[in-house]
Amino acid sequence: MKKTAPEPVATVQQEEHRVLLVEDDVGLQKQMRWALSPYIVDVAGSRLEALDKISAAKPYHVVVLDLGLPPDENSASEGLKALDEILNLTPQTKVIVASGNVERANAVRAVAKGAFDFVAKPLDSEVLKIIIDRAIRMHELEEENKQLREHSARATDGLVYGSEKMAQIAQVLDRVGPMDVSVMLIGETGTGKEVLARALHRLSPRNTQPFVAINCASIPENLLESELFGHEKGAFTGAIKRTHGKFEMADNGTLFLDEIGDMPLPLQSKLLRFLQERRLERVGGRESITVNVRLVTATNQKLEKLIAEGRFREDLYYRINDVRIDLPALREREGDPVLLAQYFLNGFNKTYSKHISGFTEDALAALSVHPWPGNVRELENRVKRAVIMAENKRITAQDLDLGDIKTGDRDLNLRKELAKVEKRLATEALALSDGNISKAAKLLGVSRPHFYSLIGHS
Ligand SMILES: Nc1ncnc2c1ncn2[C@@H]1O[C@H](COP(=O)(O)OP(=O)(O)OP(=O)(O)O)[C@@H](O)[C@H]1O
Ligand SMILES: [Mg+2]
């Protein structure tokens, strides 16, 4: 049967509350429908009809279930069965059982099975309404909680890794992300410093506020101060209006200072002053402005060395370094290159509408042995190139431009060299043991069959 009522328009703030009344008494159906008018009420006259309605529609918030359903209105068996089935189908639905001519004990059993509450028949529509209101509130709270859980960020979101080293870093991120501490990220180029900086922001209570990144190495020294701290109109030639710096833009959020090792010394002093006072002055201005930022910094340089050379302020180093995270190079993360390659392949398949299914054996081997001087960024670029260039279903080492022949050759040679050495040792051992194979094998610490294979017998 089609409903004649117009489809409810779902909006975010005002969701309609849907109630299913499972009741075989037609008079009661009518009366209840009327009493519960603010809700969208559907009715079902039997267990099967109820299940049909529940499977067809989007989940009901509340089901009011008469325990005494046909064929045997005087026993609760059909009702209890329906209860089990409803909770199986839509566990989030709140079921209120109604019991009249069946024993109250069954209502208690129903609640034990997971019903939200029970009401006695004859139904008092006021009481029922209060119970339904409560059930709906509970339902909403539970949904909200579920969404919060689903949406609550974890470091691992968007971070691909399988290695133990990165798993440890993810744990550190989860711990320090929500705390208002300065974090310094140290790692080679392309290791994912910016990815981590963003993860820290996402994990913090500041995540609805701006994340502002600035690369200290890419901006000429004379412009960097104004970029960071802003300037007043007329502060210098070309300063035609007051401009906010990155600090002000990041107010209440996170400021990511990339390549902090390249920050000129005078600016280091100004940054230190800001970190002590949490106030700044724009270039050419006198007004002192309070800014609330969480600082995340990154560098691929050895700051200790810069400090020793007098190029980085030691006091600043300690200020920006509440927590220091050292990112391992990709070649040190066992298993990650292959995982990341797979991940990037999926992404680029989508971007370029390709259907490449994976990597050949030689490509996987090449991914694992390549030293990755450009780390994850290099890997990403190679996979991108390969996806664009690949002519086959699977990406080869050649597609990745990872000298398949070179690594393969070196491997083979190594194995050959080893075999030669082994054979020489075996021969010597045999000579030392006067030709006694058992003794010779013992001398080399290998089994007899293994020894045979070493001297080239089978
Ligand atoms: N663990 C990871 N999972 C998924 N993608 C990653 C991961 N690490 C890095 N990437 C990707 O690799 C690229 C390089 O990462 P990112 O820019 O964070 O590196 P970086 O350390 O800041 O490099 P640089 O020092 O050159 O600035 C980006 O495209 C980033 O999305
Ligand atoms: Mg970077």
Side-chain angles (χ1 to χ4, degrees):
M1 197 175 65
K2 270 229 150 99
K3 268 204 322 200
T4 46
E7 272 299 300
V9 184
T11 62
V12 181
Q13 292 89 359
Q14 234 192 343
E15 205 198 340
E16 255 99 10
H17 297 125
R18 309 177 64 250
V19 177
L20 178 67
L21 187 62
V22 188
E23 169 62 67
D24 55 313
D25 182 324
V26 180
L28 253 182
Q29 280 181 7
K30 279 215 186 93
Q31 185 192 330
M32 280 295 127
R33 199 200 266 279
W34 182 80
L36 301 175
S37 58
Y39 303 122
I40 297 184
V41 183
D42 281 344
V43 286
S46 69
R47 176 176 67 86
L48 288 179
E49 202 187 332
L51 294 180
D52 270 355
K53 288 237 154 89
I54 287 168
S55 323
K58 32 177 217 185
Y60 290 94
H61 295 80
V62 173
V63 173
V64 182
L65 172 68
D66 182 9
L67 280 183
L69 286 175
D72 185 3
E73 284 88 339
N74 290 317
S75 109
S77 64
E78 191 75 355
L80 288 174
K81 200 165 159 198
L83 172 66
D84 281 339
E85 288 164 334
I86 293 168
L87 289 177
N88 263 336
L89 275 174
T90 55
Q92 70 275 32
T93 297
K94 300 284 163 238
V95 183
I96 299 165
V97 294
S99 71
N101 39 6
V102 303
E103 273 182 58
R104 253 180 101 91
N106 283 316
V108 177
R109 251 176 86 197
V111 172
K113 275 173 176 289
F116 176 74
D117 207 342
F118 70 90
V119 285
K121 277 184 158 181
L123 294 175
D124 175 333
S125 57
E126 279 307 306
V127 172
L128 183 59
K129 197 141 175 299
I130 289 167
I131 294 178
I132 292 182
D133 279 342
R134 202 155 51 83
I136 282 174
R137 251 199 330 276
M138 184 65 83
H139 183 273
E140 278 175 345
L141 277 176
E142 284 176 6
E143 286 295 298
E144 246 174 67
N145 265 334
K146 207 168 98 200
Q147 280 179 14
L148 273 179
R149 267 202 310 279
E150 277 164 8
H151 289 154
S152 72
R154 291 203 13 106
T156 38
D157 299 347
L159 201 65
V160 178
Y161 62 86
S163 62
E164 186 52 38
K165 283 184 177 158
M166 287 304 287
Q168 276 169 12
I169 287 181
Q171 266 183 18
V172 173
L173 287 184
D174 276 329
R175 244 194 345 266
V176 304
M179 296 160 70
D180 236 2
V181 294
S182 304
V183 179
M184 175 180 267
L185 304 164
I186 301 189
E188 287 180 16
T189 178
T191 43
K193 297 187 290 293
E194 179 146 359
V195 173
L196 293 205
R198 288 181 189 277
L200 286 167
H201 177 66
R202 209 178 47 239
L203 292 165
S204 76
R206 298 170 177 266
N207 60 14
T208 55
Q209 303 292 322
F211 173 88
V212 178
I214 180 168
N215 186 328
C216 302
S218 69
I219 293 165
E221 187 169 336
N222 56 334
L223 294 182
L224 188 56
E225 180 178 8
S226 136
E227 272 297 311
L228 282 172
F229 296 97
H231 61 254
E232 294 293 342
K233 182 177 172 180
F236 45 82
T237 327
I240 50 169
K241 60 176 191 327
R242 166 190 287 176
T243 304
H244 289 175
K246 300 287 185 192
F247 272 95
E248 280 179 83
M249 291 180 196
D251 198 13
N252 296 318
T254 304
L255 180 65
F256 176 45
L257 292 179
D258 206 356
E259 307 296 359
I260 183 89
D262 288 288
M263 185 177 267
L265 276 169
L267 263 186
Q268 290 180 27
S269 308
K270 189 159 176 177
L271 174 59
L272 181 64
R273 217 165 38 247
F274 168 78
L275 291 173
Q276 285 160 345
E277 296 162 12
R278 295 284 160 178
R279 303 174 74 78
L280 58 83
E281 281 158 26
R282 300 191 191 104
V283 177
R286 264 187 240 122
E287 189 193 351
S288 168
I289 302 152
T290 305
V291 174
N292 174 355
V293 294
R294 192 242 189 122
L295 199 66
V296 177
T297 56
T299 179
N300 55 21
Q301 305 196 57
K302 295 245 172 309
L303 282 186
E304 292 83 352
K305 190 164 158 267
L306 295 185
I307 291 168
E309 291 167 355
R311 293 198 285 148
F312 201 87
R313 293 186 64 131
E314 191 171 15
D315 42 8
L316 178 60
Y317 174 76
Y318 288 112
R319 275 274 167 183
I320 58 180
N321 190 2
D322 290 334
V323 175
R324 166 180 166 155
I325 298 178
D326 286 275
L327 266 150
L330 182 56
R331 63 186 158 281
E332 294 162 15
R333 309 184 197 167
E334 214 179 320
D336 282 5
V338 169
L339 264 183
L340 281 161
Q342 210 74 51
Y343 165 77
F344 289 130
L345 171 62
N346 288 339
F348 291 128
N349 260 337
K350 283 199 193 103
T351 310
Y352 299 112
S353 308
K354 293 269 197 159
H355 302 282
I356 296 166
S357 60
F359 297 86
T360 60
E361 282 297 319
D362 69 325
L364 291 175
L367 286 168
S368 303
V369 299
H370 184 64
W372 301 113
N375 293 293
V376 185
R377 180 171 298 110
E378 180 192 352
L379 176 76
E380 186 175 6
N381 288 337
R382 282 185 191 271
V383 174
K384 180 177 178 179
R385 204 192 86 101
V387 168
I388 294 169
M389 305 299 287
E391 292 183 341
N392 302 308
K393 275 308 253 178
R394 293 200 295 160
I395 288 174
T396 64
Q398 200 123 40
D399 294 329
L400 289 164
D401 202 9
L402 286 177
D404 49 335
I405 303 144
K406 247 192 292 154
T407 53
D409 250 17
R410 246 203 336 263
D411 258 347
L412 269 180
N413 286 342
L414 181 65
R415 228 165 277 141
K416 264 189 210 149
E417 291 303 314
L418 272 176
K420 273 191 224 161
V421 174
E422 283 172 347
K423 185 157 185 178
R424 198 174 41 141
L425 284 175
T427 315
E428 277 172 24
L430 204 55
L432 282 172
S433 333
D434 301 322
N436 183 324
I437 301 237
S438 298
K439 263 196 198 163
K442 211 167 179 184
L443 209 59
L444 288 184
V446 299
S447 65
R448 270 172 63 108
H450 188 176
F451 187 85
Y452 276 119
S453 74
L454 291 185
I455 52 176
H457 296 264
S458 49

